[in-house]
Each structure stands twice: as structure tokens, then as C-alpha cells.
Amino acid sequence: MRPTVTRRDFLAIAGTAALATGTAGANETPTETVTFATYNVVDLRTEQVQSPGDEQAAAAARVIQEVRPDVLVLNELTNNRQANRVNDVPSSPSNARAFVDNYLSVPQRSDLRGIDYSETVMPKTNTGVASDLDLDNNGEVDDTPGDRTYGNDAYGFGEFPGQYGLAVLSRFPIQRDAIRTFRTFLWKDMPDSLLPRDPNTEMYLSAAEADEFRLSSKTHIDVPVAVGDETIHALSAHPTPPVFDGEGNFNGKRNHDEIRLLADYAAGAEYPYDDSGRQGGLDGDDSYVLMGDMNAAPGDEESLNAATSYFVRNDDGFIAPPFPTSPGGAAKNGPRSAFWTAEFESQVDYVLPSPDLGIERSAVVWPSERTDERGLLEAVRTASDHRLVWADVPVDEPEPDDERGANDEDDDGDGHVDEDDEGDGGPSNDDDDGDGAIDEDDEPDDGDDGSDDFDGDAEDDDDGDGHYDENDEHDSGNSDDVDNDGDGAVDEDDENDTDD
């Protein structure tokens, strides 16, 4: 959670939360926010996270500690329990728990605090799972893990089972009995799907293959998180990149329908069935936040404009424009570069709440050379070619337990701390000024008076370090000849903002 006192102090200086993004929840404005974030950590493997000392894992942890998300989705973290079937790697603890224990819970700088996520979920993934089908139509079925030809015939590309996995970390309780996964949902069972059947294209599915082929290239998951008296559904997936598929656009069509499955599920469609056989999407009054690397940008023709159709123009589904920005992206001076979330010059990573929740603040963690006063840029580059994206979502909720006690461990090895594990808690001082560290600037007892960070001129995270402080200078707002909301067009939604 973003610090309460600091946030209120900021709002008193800079104005209402709606000025930050142009959105606000439909419900009565709560007094707290929960930070949701997504981060593609790029093929982070078992041998890197199961013990301390890996440069990439440490850099990723440093970036995450700057933001301190309450609920975090990680893309491309190997599922070691699947990989263990073919590789000599430990199956326990899960790589999600190992990453927390060995990196996230350990301060990566003297001015940062560790984050001890009490809850982790790491579902099975389709990547690297043999399909026993000749999906690349090369005349052979490759069932031997370890190379690209094996990956081409897997349900989702991966050279071994569990590669490019997905994890959800939370500082709030997860309602585990209500988790739903859609890994085995068949593409042919989506009404009006784009499933490729044309035998004249390089990649297509025969009738027999369509009867077995799964839509999700990794998995689609719904993780209900208990935030006070409310439940927020953390929805996530990692659709296949819409490339490497020939003129038939097999992967582009799959990417489109993977994104559509998320949107349809959030809208309460009846057709999706989960891996337990339960059918149907969310109820109409459910709150949710979609997070993940969608491998699709607004206006992206390869994915058949999936991001535009289901994010930008789906006002009833998700709060999308204005999208978050970063100084590092803006410094690239490319078309829409301020909205990029990856070094390969695209906006692919999203945090999108349901309309009833709203967004108070959001950003992409990407400093520019000019704004890199904390030395974060090196860690950002070392950690991944993607950038962490976060959003503060207004929710009326209690403070999560930020610390696990000395005995508060995953004793039974099931990947989470629950009633089966012995634990203790305990109070800790607060990061009152929101700089990611408990230090001399924080008042442990009576909070922050607002003078440490906010001088009245801070409106945006201008230096891209993931929080707002004295290093962020005021800007004069938007220009009406710029695509300020990031929807791919300059239109009536891009109005000049004088910060009145």
C-alpha cells in the first residue's frame, strides 16, 4: 500500500486524485489506496531465484522495492514444479516463494525496505507442455524438451515445461478456494473465435488438432484478494506474442482471442469454463484489476487491434486511457514513446481496474538519463527489457501485514503462509514519507507532516523512480495537440489541463 499520511498530504497540495489520471471510482471515495503492479521479469529461472546472489533477480527486486506493490503479477518466472519433471532443479519452495525470501524480503539498497509477501500463487502454465501434435506442420512431433522445435509443438512456446510462468504475490489474504484457472480451455469453444483452419497457410489447426488445442499460451487466472471487507479479483494472463507465425497470423489471432477471453470473463460471459469444469465469468457487481504483459499495444494490427477493442474502447470493462507514462520512455522521442512499457518500443504491460474502482495514480518505472538521481536506471535495464507498471487503486481497506515474523514461514512447503503454518507478527515503523525506506525522514509515531517529500510542485513521477518526491518537478499539464491519454489518437479526450 502507498503510505496513507503521505498520500493525503499530497492530495491536499496537488488537488484531487482525479487530476492524476482523469478517472475516479463510481463509489464513494475511499481513504486508502492499494497498489497493483505487473512486471515481466524476462525468463527468470529456477537457478537464479532459489539462492541469493543473482544479478538479474536482485535488480528486479530493487525495482519492485521502489514501488512496494500490494498485489504484484510476475510474468516469465519459471514454474519450477513443472520444470523439475525434466530438469535437475528443486521443486520446492516454489520460485515465487524463493524470489520473495531470497530477494524481495531483503533490502536491495540501504535506503530500501524488503517486502515480505505472505501470499504467493504460481499456477501451472502451458508453456513447454508437450501437445503431442505437429503444431508447426513440419511433419514431425517433437516431444523431447530442450530446444525450439520442441517449443514449437508445445501448447505454449517453451523449451521445457514451466518456462515463462506466471506468479501472483499479495500482501493481502488470497481466497484460495475461489482461485480459477483456464489453462485447459479449448480455443474452439470460444464463440466466434479466430481459430485458424486454413490449410493454405503456414500454421493452422486441423479438425483433430482443434479438438485438443488450448487457447491460453500460458494460463488465464482469477485470484480473489480479500481487501478488508471487499474482494478484488486479480485477473492475469500472458498472451502469446503476435509474431513468428507466417502469413496466416496464427499467433496474432491467438493473442487477440486470449485478450478477448479476459474481457469476456470480466464481462460475465457464460461460455468460459475453468480447469475444474465450472462455467461462467464474473458476476456483474464483482470488482477486478487486470494485470499482465498482453503482448499487444493500442493500434497493433498484428494482434488485430485487440488492445484497442478490449481495453481502450471497452469503457464498461476496464479503466484504460489515460495510460501511465514514464520519463525514460518519453526521452526516446518516438511516436507514443511516453507510453512504452518495454525497450522494444511498445506498450504491452497493463494494470486496468474495473470501472467501479477507479485509478488514483499510475506510472511506468523507467527513469531517463537526466532524471536518474537514485541510480535506478541501471537496475531497470539489468532486470528486464520490460518496465514495471503500477496503479494506485482506491479501496477502503485496512493496512496489510508488511512483515512476517521470525516463525511466519511457509513451513509446509505449499507456497503460502496459512493456517497450516506457525507464525508471529508484530508492528513495524512506517515509511511515512513514501520514499521506500524507513529513515530519519520518517516520524514513527505521528506520521509525516508533508514537508519531507511534497513541496507543492510535485504532480507526476517525473524521474521515473516509482514514487513522488522532491525530485519531481511540476509540469503545466497536457497539451491538446498530444495523445495525452495514450489511446493512439489525438481527439476530444486530449484536452489542455491548466491544473486549476
Side-chain angles (χ1 to χ4, degrees):
M1 176 191 299
R2 313 288 294 177
T4 303
V5 175
T6 300
R7 180 62 59 203
R8 288 174 178 164
D9 287 341
F10 173 79
L11 295 179
I13 295 169
T16 66
L19 288 178
T21 62
T23 67
N27 297 333
E28 180 181 353
T29 303
T31 57
E32 307 289 351
T33 60
V34 176
T35 303
F36 291 83
T38 187
Y39 200 13
N40 183 325
V41 290
V42 183
D43 200 14
L44 194 60
R45 300 198 180 187
T46 304
E47 56 269 26
Q48 295 178 269
V49 300
Q50 285 287 329
S51 59
D54 181 78
E55 183 181 20
Q56 181 191 357
R62 189 265 166 99
V63 174
I64 294 166
Q65 287 174 1
E66 291 279 356
V67 177
R68 305 188 62 80
D70 296 304
V71 181
L72 171 66
V73 165
L74 295 174
N75 291 129
E76 298 200 14
L77 176 64
T78 294
N79 186 314
N80 56 312
R81 289 171 179 166
Q82 290 180 272
N84 170 262
R85 300 172 187 174
V86 298
N87 295 335
D88 184 18
V89 295
S91 62
S92 182
S94 73
N95 279 347
R97 173 51 55 197
F99 184 49
V100 172
D101 290 347
N102 294 326
Y103 293 93
L104 288 176
S105 64
V106 180
Q108 297 299 319
R109 273 175 49 125
S110 60
D111 58 349
L112 294 175
R113 283 186 298 150
I115 314 172
D116 213 343
Y117 291 98
S118 60
E119 301 268 10
T120 65
V121 175
M122 194 154 205
K124 290 181 179 179
T125 177
N126 282 326
T127 40
V129 174
S131 68
D132 296 323
L133 303 171
D134 180 20
L135 297 177
D136 59 3
N137 297 316
N138 69 349
E140 298 180 2
V141 175
D142 191 333
D143 58 3
T144 304
D147 57 25
R148 294 189 64 84
T149 57
Y150 170 83
N152 290 337
D153 283 340
Y155 281 116
F157 180 83
E159 296 185 2
F160 56 86
Q163 188 177 14
Y164 310 121
L166 181 153
V168 180
L169 316 182
S170 177
R171 295 167 63 199
F172 290 100
I174 287 174
Q175 299 170 352
R176 292 187 172 271
D177 291 343
I179 293 174
R180 301 180 68 187
T181 58
F182 298 82
R183 185 173 67 98
T184 58
F185 177 84
L186 298 180
W187 194 352
K188 73 180 181 68
D189 291 335
M190 170 179 277
D192 301 317
S193 76
L194 301 180
L195 189 150
R197 297 179 181 269
D198 184 358
N200 296 315
T201 58
E202 182 177 344
M203 294 180 64
Y204 68 95
L205 296 177
S206 67
E209 290 170 337
D211 285 339
E212 300 182 45
F213 192 78
R214 302 169 181 178
L215 172 58
S216 184
S217 56
K218 283 81 176 177
T219 192
H220 286 54
I221 189 169
D222 172 2
V223 178
V225 179
V227 182
D229 295 331
E230 300 185 45
T231 297
I232 298 178
H233 295 260
L235 309 181
S236 189
H238 185 193
T240 193
V243 291
F244 314 121
D245 52 6
E247 74 280 1
N249 198 19
F250 184 101
N251 289 333
K253 293 174 180 178
R254 189 181 190 184
N255 175 282
H256 176 280
D257 281 359
E258 287 195 72
I259 291 174
R260 179 189 155 194
L261 179 61
L262 287 167
D264 287 353
Y265 178 78
E270 296 182 0
Y271 74 84
Y273 53 84
D274 63 27
D275 295 333
S276 71
R278 177 185 167 194
Q279 194 157 353
L282 293 176
D283 292 334
D285 58 352
D286 285 336
S287 299
Y288 50 87
V289 179
L290 182 150
M291 294 169 281
D293 172 7
M294 297 292 117
N295 275 314
D300 180 7
E301 295 183 0
E302 290 180 321
S303 61
L304 305 175
N305 288 309
T308 301
S309 299
Y310 299 113
F311 300 156
V312 176
R313 297 177 181 168
N314 187 8
D315 294 340
D316 294 333
F318 304 101
I319 294 178
F323 290 109
T325 61
S326 73
K332 301 295 183 181
N333 294 317
R336 302 187 69 255
S337 64
F339 304 102
W340 291 348
T341 65
E343 289 180 2
F344 49 84
E345 301 183 355
S346 189
Q347 176 191 356
V348 294
D349 306 273
Y350 300 88
V351 178
L352 305 176
S354 54
D356 64 300
L357 292 176
I359 298 177
E360 183 179 290
R361 307 287 301 198
S362 62
V364 179
V365 180
W366 191 351
S368 66
E369 296 279 0
R370 183 180 62 83
T371 63
D372 188 35
E373 296 185 14
R374 291 172 55 82
L376 178 59
L377 185 56
E378 180 179 357
V380 165
R381 290 169 170 167
T382 301
S384 177
D385 61 350
H386 288 252
R387 303 297 179 250
L388 186 147
V389 179
W390 63 264
D392 279 349
V393 175
V395 177
D396 192 7
E397 40 67 42
E399 186 81 24
D401 181 11
D402 192 39
E403 306 286 343
R404 284 195 297 163
N407 298 318
D408 196 6
E409 299 174 355
D410 179 20
D411 299 312
D412 58 5
D414 63 356
H416 57 95
V417 178
D418 55 21
E419 62 275 5
D420 300 323
D421 304 303
E422 296 184 4
D424 57 22
S428 64
N429 292 334
D430 297 319
D431 176 23
D432 295 310
D433 62 1
D435 64 356
I438 297 178
D439 53 28
E440 64 276 5
D441 296 327
D442 300 309
E443 304 282 344
D445 298 321
D446 59 358
D448 179 26
D449 64 1
S451 62
D452 295 325
D453 283 332
F454 302 117
D455 58 6
D457 288 334
E459 181 181 75
D460 302 310
D461 178 22
D462 295 314
D463 60 3
D465 65 357
H467 55 92
Y468 309 105
D469 54 27
E470 66 276 4
N471 298 322
D472 302 313
E473 297 187 5
H474 177 81
D475 64 33
S476 58
N478 300 329
S479 169
D480 55 10
D481 59 355
V482 177
D483 176 23
N484 293 307
D485 58 5
D487 65 356
V490 177
D491 52 28
E492 63 276 6
D493 297 326
D494 304 310
E495 295 184 5
N496 186 53
D497 180 0
T498 57
D499 295 38
D500 293 334

